[in-house]
Amino acid sequence: MKEKLTIVKVGGAVVEDEQQLTQLLQDFSAIEGRKVLVHGGGRKATKTAERLNITTQMVNGRRITDGDMLEVVTMVYGGLVNKNLVARLQANGVNAIGLTGADANVIRSHKRPPVVVDGSTVDYGWVGDVDQADGNMLGRLVEAGITPVMAPLTHDGEGHILNTNADTIASETAKALAKEYDVTLIFSFEKKGVLSNPDDEDSVIPTITRTLYHKYKTDGTISGGMLPKIENALNAVDAGVSKVIITLATAIDGKHGTVIE
């Protein structure tokens, strides 16, 4: 029987909310067994860019990452946010280590080519799409009693850092580790789960299968940024991840939220 491992992805909105973040880190620290934390930090990056007079450009919720913005996200994600989380986990008794994809070559990506969005060609710049995650290296860390804290940055093997979606990093990490562990992947954010009515916090959809996902996507029940999150979740399940849950940041006990299966 495979050993249990839990991966929790925390979004940038939670990272910015001190009360939610404190609770999440306490709950994460209380999770028994092997674990990995994956974090975002987009709001912090946007605020830092503003202070540096660097304009933030978004297309369909994705950040355009030119050379100046790449410096910002590298500093914020790989430095400020990542190391603060590591220090706070250490204070909670968790022996954490902060990683980008470049560290120990744990996640390698390629630079996203220009794509057509709404009839216009969009160049996302230094944005990475994941090619592979090294489950063996991450497994060696967790077997040594170390908890990886992963920033949303990868590399291309040619000396370039790439800004990479944190949900994708969480999903790819879960898939890589599922070969050796019984993996539960939890996407935590500021809602109780996937909502059937965005204006009703209690309208949580308990379970979403691929068939239901296509139905909800077609009729508009699910839209926007939730679409790629669920696609990442479904891909993880297809690749052998035991369970994927989308839930409130203060409810990562595996008993709340929306289960993707």
Side-chain angles (χ1 to χ4, degrees):
M1 182 179 292
K2 292 181 179 179
E3 186 176 2
K4 182 175 174 57
L5 183 145
T6 304
I7 299 174
V8 175
K9 185 266 174 176
V10 54
V14 176
V15 169
E16 286 285 282
D17 186 307
E18 180 57 33
Q19 185 174 356
Q20 287 191 76
L21 180 60
T22 296
Q23 185 64 56
L24 178 129
L25 292 176
Q26 290 175 354
D27 293 344
F28 179 80
S29 300
I31 293 173
E32 295 183 358
R34 314 299 188 186
K35 51 197 170 189
V36 176
L37 184 66
V38 179
H39 67 83
R43 295 190 184 187
K44 179 77 73 175
T46 298
K47 290 179 180 178
T48 301
E50 285 178 3
R51 290 200 295 269
L52 297 171
N53 294 319
I54 296 171
T55 301
T56 296
Q57 294 177 276
M58 308 287 286
V59 177
N60 287 352
R62 303 296 195 205
R63 186 182 303 270
I64 303 292
T65 308
D66 61 12
D68 288 340
M69 186 58 71
L70 181 64
E71 291 187 358
V72 171
V73 297
T74 301
M75 289 187 293
V76 172
Y77 300 163
L80 182 61
V81 174
N82 187 266
K83 299 313 173 190
N84 279 336
L85 290 174
V86 168
R88 293 180 67 166
L89 285 173
Q90 295 289 359
N92 278 280
V94 176
N95 191 14
I97 185 170
L99 298 174
T100 69
D103 295 300
N105 194 32
V106 292
I107 303 181
R108 187 173 294 197
S109 298
H110 63 271
K111 186 180 179 183
R112 180 179 299 170
V115 296
V116 177
V117 178
D118 297 330
S120 299
T121 300
V122 176
D123 184 352
Y124 282 96
W126 297 104
V127 167
D129 291 325
V130 174
D131 294 318
Q132 64 182 34
D134 189 343
N136 289 330
M137 177 56 71
L138 290 168
R140 286 162 65 183
L141 288 173
V142 299
E143 285 301 317
I146 297 170
T147 295
V149 178
M150 303 180 67
L153 300 166
T154 58
H155 77 124
D156 63 0
E158 299 178 0
H160 303 114
I161 289 287
L162 298 170
N163 182 15
T164 306
N165 179 264
D167 284 351
T168 301
I169 286 180
S171 177
E172 293 296 328
T173 298
K175 287 156 63 174
L177 287 167
K179 297 172 184 176
E180 299 295 334
Y181 297 91
D182 176 7
V183 176
T184 295
L185 171 59
I186 300 174
F187 290 105
S188 68
F189 70 145
E190 62 273 19
K191 303 291 184 182
K192 291 183 178 180
V194 182
L195 306 180
S196 60
N197 178 1
D199 297 323
D200 181 0
E201 289 288 335
D202 293 320
S203 64
V204 176
I205 302 172
T207 305
I208 296 178
T209 61
R210 190 168 289 278
T211 299
L212 282 173
Y213 169 66
H214 288 304
K215 174 183 179 296
Y216 292 142
K217 180 179 179 181
T218 300
D219 67 20
T221 299
I222 299 173
S223 60
M226 187 55 69
L227 295 174
K229 189 181 293 290
I230 296 176
E231 287 169 1
N232 276 318
L234 288 167
N235 290 337
V237 171
D238 290 344
V241 175
S242 298
K243 182 187 294 186
V244 182
I245 302 170
I246 299 175
T247 189
L248 192 66
T250 52
I252 58 170
D253 57 4
K255 301 175 182 177
H256 299 82
T258 300
V259 176
I260 310 298
E261 59 182 30

